[in-house]
Amino acid sequence: MTPRWLFALEAERVHALVGFGLKIWGKLPRSPQMPNPALAQKILGLNLPNPIGLAAGFDKNATMVAGLSRLGFGAIEVGTLTPKAQLGNPKPRVFRYIPQQSLQNSMGFNNKGVAKAAQRLENLPPLPCLIGVNLGKNKDTPLENTLSDYEKALKASLGVGDYYVFNLSSPNTPNLRDLQNESFVDELFSMARERTHKPLFLKVAPDMPSDGLLAVCERAIKAGAKGIIATNTTIDYSLLPGARQSGGLSGRVLEAKARVVFEEIARAFFGRAVLVAVGGISDAKEAYERIKMGASFLQIFTAFIYQGPTICRQINQDIVKLLQQDGLSSIHEAVGIGQKR
Ligand SMILES: Cc1cc2nc3c(=O)[nH]c(=O)nc-3n(C[C@H](O)[C@H](O)[C@H](O)COP(=O)(O)O)c2cc1C
């Protein structure tokens, strides 16, 4: 559990403190971690040691990757990174709702620019986890030039990611979510497919009507996306009485909604795309549920903030027990088992 006193400090201050600790920890000598073969999978040619990933937004600038990898994450997604550095929205912009184990953030893609992060990733020693690179547009780029922002960001980070994610789903960059339309995703993935053979993912919001969302995912897959990451934070403020009227909600209040959206996507695309579930996952029961729905792997963010550094190992250990209870010998057998029945 995260020590309670840390919650008395302003959220971004704690994040900076933790980041400092992780940077140092990442530099200390390490003994190799033995992955549990029951949890390992080969996905799109990539070796994923276990199904618990860290969602985008925690390590925006790729400064903590080595330290984070020691906490046992199977994949770490850095970013969102934009072509140019930008400050993001004014502070305070992260709010805790402790009884609800939830957060609300309106960060606005604060980051030091994709080139710096790419350089850091290039200088890292080999790590026992996958690295995802999550890309976005600068706030001051006019909407009609967005494609060129994604292209610049991709070009600047080619070679450093195991997979790439196009984030069109943050609620904190004006009009970004409008780009979750068929014509833009078609252009976006067609452009990216020309530039790289690495797996490309679309990260979607949970707030779109289902028909539109499935149509956008379909088009992305046809244009070259290998997977869908569902979901980003929600702007459905009815989920949290007393929520602020701006910024995205994450954590427990998002759990049910993200699960429903993920299930719709899984019903439509399981077997045709790699599916990654994120949103409100805080224990092995929920993680395993989404694996059975069709998630090849999962990502967590808010539960990591509330439960602290042991969460990843805990969930992984508990997933092994759930697999045993179901008489399954590997996670691969569990992925999408609910769709196959
Ligand atoms: C403070 C904060 C910052 C985030 N920043 C990003 C981001 O830069 N890019 C992104 O794709 N998602 C971002 N997210 C969304 C998470 O990656 C994740 O999709 C969402 O929080 C739901 O997962 P959770 O309920 O486990 O937190 C952010 C979330 C939080 C709480």
Side-chain angles (χ1 to χ4, degrees):
M1 268 293 162
T2 303
R4 301 286 296 181
W5 62 266
L6 276 177
F7 294 144
L9 305 177
E10 194 268 320
E12 284 196 62
R13 187 157 292 204
V14 177
H15 189 257
L17 273 172
V18 169
F20 182 67
L22 281 165
K23 257 186 250 177
I24 294 175
W25 201 40
K27 289 192 175 129
L28 300 177
R30 61 186 298 154
S31 49
Q33 301 158 14
M34 288 311 288
N36 183 334
L39 293 177
Q41 295 175 85
K42 191 149 195 146
I43 296 172
L44 301 167
L46 302 168
N47 291 316
L48 182 70
N50 71 67
I52 307 300
L54 179 63
F58 187 88
D59 191 4
K60 287 185 186 273
N61 295 302
T63 53
M64 314 169 208
V65 179
L68 285 166
S69 75
R70 293 182 172 205
L71 302 182
F73 287 105
I76 295 170
E77 196 168 302
V78 302
T80 295
L81 292 157
T82 55
K84 290 181 295 170
Q86 61 179 27
L87 291 172
N89 292 321
K91 293 182 188 173
R93 52 194 179 178
V94 186
F95 303 94
R96 303 182 189 96
Y97 297 86
I98 297 173
Q100 296 87 352
Q101 301 273 296
S102 296
L103 293 172
Q104 186 165 23
N105 91 83
S106 52
M107 304 291 278
F109 293 167
N110 54 304
N111 77 105
K112 302 226 159 75
V114 64
K116 274 206 172 144
Q119 197 171 26
R120 262 187 215 115
L121 290 171
E122 217 166 277
N123 292 332
L124 281 174
L127 295 172
C129 62
L130 299 183
I131 300 294
V133 178
N134 180 307
L135 303 173
K137 77 178 271 291
N138 279 113
K139 184 180 178 182
D140 64 2
T141 300
L143 218 53
E144 59 273 22
N145 297 342
T146 300
L147 187 67
S148 130
D149 260 21
Y150 283 95
E151 189 169 16
K152 282 183 205 156
L154 181 62
K155 268 170 86 175
S157 57
L158 279 179
V160 297
D162 293 307
Y163 68 89
Y164 290 84
V165 182
F166 294 120
N167 178 8
L168 302 181
S169 50
S170 165
N172 303 316
T173 293
N175 306 320
L176 185 76
R177 285 183 168 193
D178 296 347
L179 298 169
Q180 294 184 117
N181 66 65
E182 289 180 68
S183 124
F184 185 73
V185 297
D186 190 32
E187 279 184 73
L188 180 62
F189 284 93
S190 304
M191 172 279 290
R193 201 185 43 190
E194 294 291 305
R195 299 225 162 260
T196 180
H197 296 299
K198 297 266 178 83
L200 304 169
F201 287 79
L202 175 66
K203 182 166 178 180
V204 297
D207 302 313
M208 256 178 110
S210 159
D211 289 0
L213 176 64
L214 295 180
V216 165
C217 293
E218 177 77 49
R219 188 64 85 89
I221 292 164
K222 284 208 171 111
K226 291 284 187 247
I228 307 291
I229 301 183
T231 69
N232 212 313
T233 54
T234 181
I235 51 168
D236 180 355
Y237 302 130
S238 70
L239 294 174
L240 181 58
R244 287 164 178 78
Q245 294 304 301
S246 67
L249 293 168
S250 59
R252 281 275 169 81
V253 295
L254 173 61
E255 179 179 351
K257 189 179 182 105
R259 187 197 305 126
V260 167
V261 172
F262 181 78
E263 193 170 20
E264 280 169 359
I265 291 175
R267 243 185 265 127
F269 301 110
F270 176 70
R272 290 176 53 207
V274 170
L275 306 176
V276 180
V278 51
I281 297 169
S282 61
D283 58 21
K285 185 172 164 288
E286 184 63 26
Y288 194 55
E289 198 60 39
R290 297 208 208 175
I291 289 168
K292 288 194 289 186
M293 282 176 188
S296 289
F297 69 101
L298 316 151
Q299 294 180 331
I300 57 173
F301 188 136
T302 305
F304 177 46
I305 303 294
Y306 284 109
Q307 294 185 41
T310 56
I311 185 174
C312 186
R313 288 191 205 289
Q314 186 64 55
I315 296 182
N316 274 322
Q317 272 173 24
D318 293 345
I319 289 178
V320 173
K321 288 185 198 144
L322 292 170
L323 286 169
Q324 283 164 356
Q325 274 171 27
D326 280 353
L328 303 174
S329 56
S330 79
I331 188 154
H332 179 69
E333 294 170 38
V335 173
I337 201 167
Q339 302 289 342
K340 294 171 198 159
R341 278 190 195 124

